[in-house]
Structures are given as structure tokens and as C-alpha cells.
Amino acid sequence: MTLKPHVAVNVKQLDQSIHFYTHLFGVDPVKVKPQYAKFDLQAPPLNFTLNEGGEVSGGINHLGIQVSSTEEVLQAKERLQESGVATFDEMNTNCCYARQDKIWVTSPDGHEWEVFTVLEDIEHKESSSCCT
């Protein structure tokens, strides 16, 4: 059996969200229809869809993409900044029992995303935006 998680988010403006997620994930959507877009990610395996309309807010704290190195974090930062998306760096930070290098971005609908790598596990939880 192969498992592939699926995440569906409601968005206010589909075109803006397609632009944002194309640059966040580094791939184009595989399907775009009226009020709908689908990204079929291979690494990590994820079926991620955008649905225009409906309630945008919810109980999500934040979303993240874990990569294997600081170099990959910086590559994501460059790709996002080249597309006009503002990023916020949080390098060598202690967060949720780990020391991490990360960047933060916010989708057009206010969903906070981190692209991060874990540098080492630590024994204490620091106060950081990812832990609240």
C-alpha cells in the first residue's frame, strides 16, 4: 500500500494562490479548473489542492516543508524572493525541541509556511512562533 497525504485549503483568489504555491513548491499545478487547482507533489508525496471560496480561516497553526539542508532552505528563499514573495529568516533558532534553520512565508490567504531543516535535537522547547 502506498500512502499519499492530501491537504485541501480554501483560498480567496485562486490565481494569486496558484502563483504563491507554484513558487513555494517549485512546480506547476497538474490541474487547474474553475475555482480549483491541484499540485501533485512527488517529494514529499502530497496531493495538495486549492479550492476557491469557503471559509479561509481555521485551526491551522502553521504549515511546513522540511528539507534536508540549509542549502535547500536558501534555495527555497531565493526561488520565493525571485517571484516577489517576501520571506522572513529564522536561522540557527531553537524551536520545538530542535535547533533549525528556516524561512517563513505567508500565503495570500494568511497561511504561514516554514521551509526548514533540523540541525540537531535539543532537550528544551524555546518560545518561538512555531511553538505557539
Side-chain angles (χ1 to χ4, degrees), residues 46-73:
L46 176 65
N47 174 339
F48 185 84
T49 60
L50 305 172
N51 300 280
E52 190 172 54
E55 182 63 35
V56 172
S57 64
I60 296 174
N61 177 288
H62 72 278
L63 302 156
I65 300 170
Q66 184 172 354
V67 296
S68 60
S69 69
T70 299
E71 180 180 335
E72 290 181 65
V73 171

Side-chain angles (χ1 to χ4, degrees), residues 19 79-86:
H19 175 80
R79 181 175 68 245
L80 287 157
Q81 287 181 337
E82 286 176 357
S83 76
V85 175

Side-chain angles (χ1 to χ4, degrees), residues 16 21-22 26 32-33 40 50 55 60 66-68 79 84 92 97-98 101 105 121-122:
Q16 285 182 349
Y21 287 106
T22 294
V32 177
K33 301 289 185 184
D40 188 17
L50 305 172
E55 182 63 35
I60 296 174
Q66 184 172 354
V67 296
S68 60
R79 181 175 68 245
N92 197 33
Y97 303 99
D101 283 343
V105 294
D121 288 332
I122 58 176

